[in-house]
Amino acid sequence: MTRIPVYFMPGLAASSSIFERIQLPEDQFEVHLLEWFLPEPNESLAAYAQRMAAQVTDPTALLVGVSFGGILVQEMKAFLQPRKVVIISSVKSNREFPRKFKVARTTKAYKLIPTGLLQDVELLVKFAFGETLKRKLHLYEQFLHMRDKRYLDWAIEQVMCWERTEVDPTVIHIHGTQDEVFPPKYLKNYVPVKDGTHAMILSKYRWLNAHLPAILLQE
């Protein structure tokens, strides 16, 4: 039996180690882990997505992205022919952003975020994973991979200024009912995970291990 390649893209600033507890049946899936790299000066999200897509050796592979990684894999789809795109703790268009994101975009308040300070692990954990994980800092330092100010400035702007307004109906969206970054009340058409927070890739791995294989295989 030929195994199906699956490429996992972590969330903003995170490393692929966030997927270390995700276990797909090895006889069915061939898992590949993608990592963030530094953007070029003034690089567009589309250009970055094209460079990331070049790392996917099978253009028909399954793509799974978390948070900002979910946004990126949707943009990567333009350069591949993936069998399926699954996003976790993410959004399908900028219309699913919470109001505070829309205000920050309009006022450009996101440019005031002290990304130089975000290289401090505690602040970055709070920003990338949410307030609830702050007290578990020592557990999550290992998951933060990209702390370069150039990346952080770029990534935050790409999220806030994401231009997608039309939802791709083929994208499968898995989302926690307690997500504090992208509150479910702004979302439509998603698979709910009870009590899942924005960091449920870490905390709800048992649910994902139980359900993700069938989700990836469904026609």
Side-chain angles (χ1 to χ4, degrees):
M1 178 179 176
T2 303
R3 296 191 298 165
I4 302 171
V6 186
Y7 283 76
F8 284 88
M9 188 74 226
L12 190 149
S15 80
S16 63
S17 61
I18 66 169
F19 301 114
E20 65 183 16
R21 292 178 175 177
I22 302 300
Q23 297 177 338
L24 301 180
E26 293 183 2
D27 61 330
Q28 293 177 296
F29 300 99
E30 180 182 289
V31 172
H32 301 268
L33 303 176
L34 297 169
E35 299 281 7
W36 295 104
F37 48 75
L38 280 177
E40 299 291 344
N42 301 312
E43 186 168 22
S44 68
L45 184 60
Y48 190 95
Q50 185 172 17
R51 287 205 292 150
M52 188 65 77
Q55 298 191 22
V56 178
T57 57
D58 184 340
T60 66
L62 299 164
L63 301 179
V64 180
V66 173
S67 190
F68 180 37
I71 288 175
L72 184 66
V73 295
Q74 291 177 80
E75 296 301 310
M76 289 167 63
K77 187 181 178 186
F79 307 102
L80 301 164
Q81 299 85 45
R83 305 178 193 205
K84 189 166 296 175
V85 174
V86 177
I87 64 172
I88 300 170
S89 307
S90 190
V91 288
K92 300 181 290 296
S93 81
N94 61 23
R95 294 184 179 180
E96 294 188 325
F97 282 164
R99 184 174 179 274
K100 61 184 178 182
F101 275 45
K102 296 175 182 177
V103 170
R105 174 176 178 157
T106 301
T107 62
K108 297 194 182 300
Y110 62 86
K111 290 183 176 291
L112 301 178
I113 296 171
T115 50
L117 295 178
L118 286 177
Q119 293 173 78
D120 172 81
V121 175
E122 183 172 354
L123 282 171
L124 189 51
V125 165
K126 180 178 176 180
F127 184 83
F129 291 122
E131 183 71 37
T132 56
L133 293 191
K134 188 177 177 182
R135 65 184 181 276
K136 301 178 181 178
L137 175 63
H138 63 286
L139 294 177
Y140 298 105
E141 182 172 2
Q142 63 177 303
F143 298 117
L144 294 170
H145 161 67
M146 185 64 81
R147 303 176 192 175
D148 190 289
K149 185 180 187 303
R150 291 169 294 172
Y151 166 82
L152 295 170
D153 286 339
W154 174 85
I156 292 168
E157 183 165 49
Q158 298 313 311
V159 173
M160 294 297 176
C161 298
W162 192 34
E163 295 181 349
R164 184 181 294 270
T165 57
E166 297 298 323
V167 170
D168 181 341
T170 67
V171 170
I172 296 175
H173 187 177
I174 302 172
H175 209 84
T177 61
Q178 300 299 316
D179 192 302
E180 67 280 16
V181 177
F182 298 123
K185 67 180 181 180
Y186 298 105
L187 309 178
K188 294 181 180 179
N189 302 322
Y190 64 94
V191 179
V193 179
K194 189 176 186 299
D195 297 327
T197 65
H198 193 62
M200 72 175 186
I201 193 68
L202 302 174
S203 60
K204 294 294 184 180
Y205 66 92
R206 291 186 180 88
W207 187 98
L208 290 164
N209 287 341
H211 296 89
L212 192 55
I215 289 172
L216 291 172
L217 290 172
Q218 74 184 31
E219 295 296 332

